[in-house]
Amino acid sequence: MPRRIDIYDTTLRDGTQGEGFNLSLQDKLQIALKLDDLGVDYIEGGFPLSNPKDEAFFREVRAMNLRHAKIAAFGMTRRRGMKASEDPGLAALMEAQTPVVTIVGKSSEFHATRVLNVDRNENLAMIRETVNFFREAGREVVYDAEHFFDAFKADRDYALATILAAEEAGATTLCLCDTNGGTLPEQVEAAVAAAKAKSSAKIGIHTHNDSSLAVANALAAVRAGASHAQGTINGVGERCGNMDLIALIANLSLKLGCDVLRPNTLKRLTEVSRYVYEIANMNLNPGQPYVGASAFAHKGGMHVHAVQKDPVTYEHIDPELVGNTRRVLVSELSGQSNIAAKAGRKFDIENDKAILKKVLEQVQTLENAGYQFEAAEASFELLLRREIGRHRTFFELVNYRVEVARHNGGAPVAEATVKLKMGESTEHTVAEGDGPVDALNQALRRALKIHFAAIADVHLIDYKVRVINARAETAAAVRVVVEWRRQQPDGRKEIFGTIGVSSNIIDASWQAIVDAYEYHLVHVEEADAA
C-alpha cells in the first residue's frame, strides 16, 4: 500500500509574507476552495490576531462547504509570565473555531533567551501549556518547531526536548522547520531520523528556499520518515520563498509512488498553479518544473525530431499527468521537424518538404530581423497560413493616427483614430485610452465590432516591450510581444501570443494587435464552417 503523505498548504499565511504576493479576503477564500478541490489535507488561513482580514477569513470559511481539507489557524506559544487561558493571542485562535491549530515555538535556548527573554525551562513550559490548552478544547494541534535544524546543530538534546514537550502535551504532528533555509539535505535527513527515533507522533517538514534546496530538503525528510509536508503553491513566500508544493506533490506521487491529495486530482496541478498566479496578479514562471509553460517545450530540431518518435527521449514524465501540455517552439534553431510538429496534421504539410523548407527560411529571416516566435504562436500560425494559402485578411488599413496631449498641470491623454476598409464599407473610429497603445487597440476594436461581434471574446492580458539594438539608443528597434485570452466557440479559453517588430513602438504594437484579431477571427470562421 502506498505511503500516505499529508499535504499542508500555507499559501494564505506564510505565502503572503512574500514580496509582491498580496491577497484580498475574497482571493483567500477562492484559493481555499481551489486547494480543497485539489485535495490538500490542511489549509492554513492565517493568524487571526494579526489583522482583520485573517479574522474575517476564519469567519467566512466556516460557511464554505469544504469537502476534504481541514482549516488551520496559526499562532505562537503563550506569552511569558502569562497563563495560556489569559493570552489574547490564544483566545483569538480559539475564537477562530478551526478544527486545527498550528502553534509555533522556539527550538533553541538561543532563540528563547534572545527573542522571548525566557530561560530554557520556561520555554518548554510555554510549549507544553499552549499545546495542552488547545488539546483540552478538542482541537487537533500541529506543532511547528521553528529553526529546528539550526537548533539541532547547536544543541541536539534541547532541540529534541522541545518537540517532545509538544508531543507530551498532545500535539499530533511535530513539524520541523528549516526557517532560515540554510540546511543541506543530508543534515535534514539526519535530524528527521533522530526526531523520528525519539517520538511516536507524526513528523512533518517545513522548508524555505534560501539555498535553492527547499524541495530537495522536503524529500530528504520524507526519506527519513516524515509524513507531513508544509509549503506553498508556486513556492511563494518571504525572502527566496517557501517550498513549492507543486513540485513536491508531483515528485512524491510520480517519483516516489506516495499517496498524496485526493484520487485523480494530480492532473489539476497546472491549473491550480496558474490560478494562484492569476488571482495574485503575478506573471507565470515559464520555467517552473512540471507546470511551467516551458516545462515540456522543445526548441532544438534534433530534440523535436526525437520527441516525435518517442516523447520519453526528452521528457521525464508525460505532461498530461500534471495537466500540462507538450509544446514545440519555432525559432532560428528549428529544423523542419519543428515546423512539421507545430503545423501538425491540421494543415496537412508534415510531408511537404518544400513548404517546410520555405516556412523555416521565413522564420529564420524574421528572427534575424528581431522577431521571436516562441511566445508568439498565433503570429507563427498566421505566417504559416500565408505560406500555404490558408490566410484571410478581414480588413485593410487605410490609416491610423495616435496623439498624446498633455497640458500644463494635467495628466497626458491619448487618442487614436483608425480608418479601415472592410469589403465595400469604410469604418472610421476614434477612441481614448490610458496610453497610446490602449487608445489604438480600443479604436480598432470599436471598428471591428461593427462587423465582427466575436471580437468581444478576445482580450489583451499582458504586454511586453524589448529593445533589440540598444546601441541605437532612442532610434532602436523594439519587439512587442502581447499575450491574449480568447473564448473559443465551444466555451473553452485559450491563451496565445502575438508579436510585432519596428523602430516605432506604436507600429510594432499595431502589428501584434492586428495578428491577434486576425488569428481569432479566422478560427471563429473555421469553427462556424465546420
Side-chain angles (χ1 to χ4, degrees):
M1 187 173 180
R3 182 177 164 203
R4 177 71 189 179
I5 308 295
D6 290 342
I7 301 299
Y8 182 111
D9 182 277
T10 182
T11 305
L12 307 184
R13 200 273 304 174
D14 218 356
T16 57
Q17 295 180 182
E19 185 176 5
F21 186 76
N22 302 294
L23 301 174
S24 68
L25 172 59
Q26 189 59 35
D27 292 339
K28 293 183 71 165
L29 292 169
Q30 287 179 257
I31 290 174
L33 279 174
K34 206 73 170 176
L35 293 172
D36 181 55
D37 286 341
L38 180 64
V40 304
D41 300 289
Y42 298 88
I43 299 172
E44 188 176 84
F47 179 23
L49 193 66
S50 65
N51 61 77
K53 186 196 303 180
D54 282 1
E55 186 179 355
F57 171 83
F58 291 113
R59 185 171 58 249
E60 296 289 332
V61 79
R62 288 199 294 272
M64 295 165 58
N65 186 26
L66 299 184
R67 296 180 295 169
H68 179 79
K70 296 178 183 178
I71 297 296
F74 176 88
M76 295 167 282
T77 52
R78 67 158 175 82
R79 299 178 187 179
R80 63 187 176 91
M82 182 179 289
K83 293 181 180 179
S85 59
E86 298 172 351
D87 189 303
L90 304 193
L93 289 173
M94 195 70 79
E95 290 168 10
Q97 299 179 35
T98 56
V100 182
V101 175
T102 299
I103 296 297
V104 62
K106 302 302 182 186
S107 302
S108 69
E109 184 176 10
F110 170 77
H111 278 93
T113 56
R114 182 64 64 90
V115 178
L116 300 182
N117 294 318
V118 298
D119 64 28
R120 55 195 288 145
N121 292 325
E122 174 65 2
N123 182 50
L124 294 176
M126 290 164 65
I127 294 169
R128 287 193 197 95
E129 291 168 21
T130 305
V131 172
N132 183 65
F133 178 69
F134 290 105
R135 286 299 296 143
E136 287 189 342
R139 307 293 173 82
E140 178 184 344
V141 177
V142 174
Y143 178 70
D144 276 10
E146 189 181 37
H147 296 102
F148 180 83
F149 298 97
D150 294 326
F152 187 84
K153 282 183 275 187
D155 187 338
R156 171 193 177 109
D157 291 339
Y158 186 72
L160 291 172
T162 63
I163 63 171
L164 292 176
E167 180 183 8
E168 291 163 8
T172 55
T173 301
L174 307 176
C175 188
L176 314 183
C177 304
D178 184 28
T179 309
N180 290 351
T183 309
L184 299 177
E186 59 270 24
Q187 296 168 330
V188 168
E189 196 162 355
V192 171
K196 185 74 176 170
K198 289 284 187 180
S199 170
S200 59
K202 185 178 294 184
I203 300 297
I205 184 68
H206 178 120
T207 59
H208 286 254
N209 205 38
D210 299 75
S211 302
S212 195
L213 291 169
V215 172
N217 281 339
L219 291 171
V222 169
R223 282 196 304 273
S227 54
H228 168 109
Q230 297 186 2
T232 63
I233 299 299
N234 302 324
V236 295
E238 198 168 25
R239 305 186 311 274
C240 304
N242 285 52
M243 187 266 294
D244 182 4
L245 278 178
I246 296 290
L248 181 79
I249 290 167
N251 282 320
L252 288 175
S253 177
L254 299 174
K255 307 293 186 178
L256 298 182
C258 295
D259 177 19
V260 292
L261 305 179
R262 292 191 299 113
N264 303 315
T265 58
L266 191 69
K267 60 187 177 184
R268 299 188 63 185
L269 280 182
T270 300
E271 172 195 342
V272 171
S273 168
R274 295 177 184 180
Y275 182 85
V276 171
Y277 278 127
E278 187 167 335
I279 285 286
N281 196 29
M282 296 176 70
N283 292 329
L284 277 65
N285 174 8
Q288 188 172 351
Y290 288 102
V291 298
S294 301
F296 301 95
H298 305 281
K299 182 174 178 179
M302 182 181 71
H303 288 203
V304 173
H305 182 69
V307 166
Q308 283 184 290
K309 291 186 174 182
D310 190 334
V312 173
T313 53
Y314 286 97
E315 291 178 352
H316 68 115
I317 66 160
D318 180 348
E320 292 185 4
L321 292 174
V322 291
N324 209 342
T325 55
R326 180 176 302 113
R327 295 170 60 233
V328 173
L329 306 179
V330 174
S331 78
E332 61 186 353
L333 299 178
S334 302
Q336 292 184 20
S337 296
N338 295 58
I339 306 297
K342 195 71 178 171
R345 297 181 180 178
K346 176 179 178 180
F347 297 107
D348 195 27
I349 63 167
E350 63 266 32
N351 296 316
D352 191 329
K353 301 296 185 183
I355 285 290
L356 294 175
K357 184 174 183 294
K358 187 176 180 183
V359 172
L360 179 58
E361 289 173 350
Q362 180 75 341
V363 167
Q364 292 171 335
T365 298
L366 288 171
E367 291 220 346
N368 190 51
Y371 285 80
Q372 282 188 355
F373 292 100
E374 296 169 29
E377 298 182 47
S379 291
F380 169 74
E381 182 176 314
L382 293 178
L383 179 157
L384 182 65
R385 285 176 175 273
R386 292 186 190 101
E387 294 297 332
I388 63 176
R390 287 187 57 177
H391 178 260
R392 169 163 122 66
T393 300
F394 293 86
F395 57 89
E396 180 184 342
L397 174 67
V398 178
N399 61 62
Y400 69 72
R401 184 176 69 252
V402 180
E403 296 180 350
V404 179
R406 179 173 183 175
H407 300 287
N408 188 31
V413 177
E415 181 181 281
T417 302
V418 171
K419 189 174 184 179
L420 306 176
K421 286 191 68 176
M422 301 184 198
E424 299 299 318
S425 302
T426 299
E427 302 297 342
H428 196 179
T429 55
V430 62
E432 290 186 344
D434 293 333
V437 175
D438 182 46
L440 187 63
N441 182 39
Q442 296 302 329
L444 177 57
R445 288 178 70 90
R446 189 168 293 177
L448 293 177
K449 280 183 180 179
I450 297 170
H451 297 267
F452 307 105
I455 287 298
D457 294 330
V458 59
H459 299 279
L460 186 154
I461 58 174
D462 199 8
Y463 176 93
K464 301 182 181 74
V465 180
R466 179 70 182 268
V467 174
I468 298 171
N469 51 332
R471 290 183 179 178
E473 300 182 359
T474 54
V478 296
R479 176 169 58 241
V480 170
V481 177
V482 185
E483 194 172 71
W484 306 80
R485 179 190 292 109
R486 78 183 192 97
Q487 183 165 311
Q488 301 178 62
D490 61 5
R492 291 180 297 126
K493 291 181 179 178
E494 177 190 1
I495 305 296
F496 65 93
T498 57
I499 190 170
V501 174
S502 174
S503 57
N504 184 310
I505 191 172
I506 301 300
D507 196 58
S509 302
W510 171 263
Q511 295 171 32
I513 292 169
V514 168
D515 272 7
Y517 295 132
E518 289 198 343
Y519 174 81
H520 177 62
L521 291 174
V522 75
H523 279 271
V524 170
E525 185 176 75
E526 289 182 350
D528 289 343

